[in-house]
Amino acid sequence: MNFDLSKKTLSDVNAFLQKIDLKSNQRDFVIKNPLGNHALCAGLQDEIKVTIQGHVGYYCAGMNKNAHIIVEGNVGTGVAENMMSGIVHVKGNASQSAGATGHGGTLIIDGDASSRCGISMKGIDIIVKGSVGHMSAFMAQSGNLIILGDADEYLGDSIYEAKIYCLGKVQSLGADCIEKEMNEKEINHLSSILKAQNIKADPKKFKRYGSARSLYNFKIDNVSNY
Amino acid sequence: MCGIVGIYLKNKKYNKQLGKLLTGMMNNMASRGPDSAGFAVYNKSSKFKYTVCLKENYDLKDLKKDLKNKLSNTKYKLIADHVVVESSSKPEKALPHIKKIKEIDLVGYGKSIEIFKQVGNPKDVVKKFSLDKFSGSHAIGHTRMATESAITTDGSHPYSTGEDECLVHNGSLSNHNNLRRTLIKNGIEFKSQNDTEVAAGYISNSLKNKTSLKETLTNGLKDLDGFYTFITGTQKGFAVLRDEIACKPAVIAETKDYVAIASEFQAMAHLPDVNKAEIYEPKPGVVYSWGS
């Protein structure tokens, strides 16, 4: 089933996709002419596949639950923000705060993601095939941020228990973020995530970063880091 | 919030459509800034152009009378309450005469630039000035959601920063009062309490001291405290700078025919071949420039 956003309103398309008639067999949808609209495919609940043919605006696929959303273009700020489960696959570049506060599911970005990718992530897996901007994984609590390219300054600033794997160069690490051992358990863990998405990259070549846990409790010596 | 847009044409075949392209960009950014709007269009002329805004109870006839025998080879173009005075008189000669007239405000001047700005919804403002009929080589625009100062024409962007130079800004500066005081001591004049006007004054002051635009903007990273994405227009093109935190958005679309920049992709969705464009975000604290 096709929707054309130059003819239909954004709220009509979103309302339809948010309340799928499960008695029908229609599970595959295409959205044409997204024209940079905001909040497209936000709050989808059902196991459907939606392909968006073009560039979209802010908060695309936000709060996603179960849907598989493919964007054949670039996305604006906050793609898949607060996603619960499902898959969001961006074929172009993503703007800042991609996957912000995501609880679960997988976000795949074929291009680059800009600043604060995975900010405050809470269990989501984010795979960026290109590079990420500054302050990515800021205060990230849980989940995996996998970067096949490089990372700009302050990667993992004030990170909690999320894991960062980066194949390329890291310009600098943020406060309380350190490089950690990439042992066999970690290699297998990363390998299973990459395999599930059919991504060919050697898990042994990644470096892992995580929390030094020195900011968990208030210490007067750390006051300048807060 | 505010919306900012800019377009620089690499291919002259679009020159006649410049105004039309910018109109679409401004209309799509109206939701980011419904309070006022303004734009600067660059179209090279052999003479100097002085854009002025007429105040109430003062019209073109009065302006012609007041400037008679003061500027040479003048031609007047009235668009809504703005007048573009074309003249062969150079700024050093013309500006003192123009500034003496209390019933007008100088909006911008140079050999290419024409600036128009007005309070009201951007969609109405661009219609009022018939932006879609403008042609030229490049243009920048602004839609304002007022935060720092009153909704007035003086508080609207773009701000002239010197001959053929102007500035639009999305964001807010926190050290503008202090900086304004310093700049006033250096002889820079301000008309409003607006923060962007201070950034414009900062740029004018630096350019006046023969610092290049790129160096000026790089110095701005340490002197201007706050959040910003700036677009500065110059006679040959424009430059873009985001502060080092980069929470104010900007996206660039580049094709073989043009470079466009906007706060949101939505502003560029109607541009020709945009789906084939290279689309990316300017990095924090890096000066990007085209045309010069």
Side-chain angles (χ1 to χ4, degrees), chain A residues 80-100:
Chain A
E81 52 111 22
N82 218 43
M83 174 154 75
M84 304 308 283
S85 57
I87 296 174
V88 176
H89 184 176
V90 178
K91 298 209 167 170
N93 297 330
S95 176
Q96 56 198 4
S97 308

Side-chain angles (χ1 to χ4, degrees), chain A residues 33 35-38 54-58 74-77 93-96 114-116 132-134 152, chain B residues 32 242 244-250 263-266 269-270 274-281 283-284:
Chain A
N33 297 313
L35 301 172
N37 267 295
H38 298 320
H55 307 304
V56 297
Y58 294 0
N74 297 324
V75 292
T77 299
N93 297 330
S95 176
Q96 56 198 4
S114 69
S115 308
R116 294 174 282 273
V132 296
H134 79 338
D152 280 352
Chain B
R32 285 188 73 92
R242 298 174 83 189
E244 283 173 323
I245 305 280
C247 60
K248 292 296 168 190
S263 301
E264 295 174 22
F265 175 76
Q266 218 173 127
H270 66 288
V274 77
N275 285 327
K276 288 183 211 148
E278 187 195 342
I279 296 171
Y280 58 97
E281 287 194 359
K283 283 191 181 266

Side-chain angles (χ1 to χ4, degrees), chain A residues 2-18 31-35 37-41:
Chain A
N2 289 0
F3 298 101
D4 188 338
L5 268 179
S6 62
K7 291 177 185 143
K8 254 185 160 4
T9 68
L10 170 71
S11 45
D12 282 350
V13 173
N14 271 350
F16 186 93
L17 294 171
Q18 282 158 0
I31 299 173
K32 291 177 190 288
N33 297 313
L35 301 172
N37 267 295
H38 298 320
L40 187 54
C41 291

Side-chain angles (χ1 to χ4, degrees), chain B residues 196-246:
Chain B
T196 309
E197 193 185 10
V198 176
Y202 172 84
I203 294 172
S204 309
N205 184 51
S206 173
L207 295 175
K208 213 172 65 183
N209 296 331
K210 303 275 178 245
T211 312
S212 73
L213 181 66
K214 202 165 182 171
E215 209 183 321
T216 299
L217 291 175
T218 309
N219 293 339
L221 283 169
K222 78 176 186 306
D223 294 334
L224 300 168
D225 186 18
F227 297 117
Y228 48 83
T229 299
F230 289 131
I231 309 177
T232 55
T234 64
Q235 195 183 59
K236 288 181 179 160
F238 58 65
V240 177
L241 175 68
R242 298 174 83 189
D243 71 78
E244 283 173 323
I245 305 280

Side-chain angles (χ1 to χ4, degrees), chain B residues 154-214:
Chain B
D154 282 343
S156 310
H157 308 211
Y159 283 102
S160 169
T161 54
E163 188 176 324
D164 276 320
E165 309 256 351
C166 71
L167 172 75
V168 294
H169 169 211
N170 172 204
S172 56
L173 300 176
S174 44
N175 65 339
H176 62 102
N177 286 329
N178 224 352
L179 200 54
R180 189 184 292 111
R181 281 191 285 272
T182 316
L183 290 166
I184 288 171
K185 280 184 200 151
N186 289 333
I188 303 285
E189 294 163 31
F190 295 97
K191 290 180 194 159
S192 71
Q193 291 302 306
N194 186 277
D195 56 337
T196 309
E197 193 185 10
V198 176
Y202 172 84
I203 294 172
S204 309
N205 184 51
S206 173
L207 295 175
K208 213 172 65 183
N209 296 331
K210 303 275 178 245
T211 312
S212 73
L213 181 66
K214 202 165 182 171

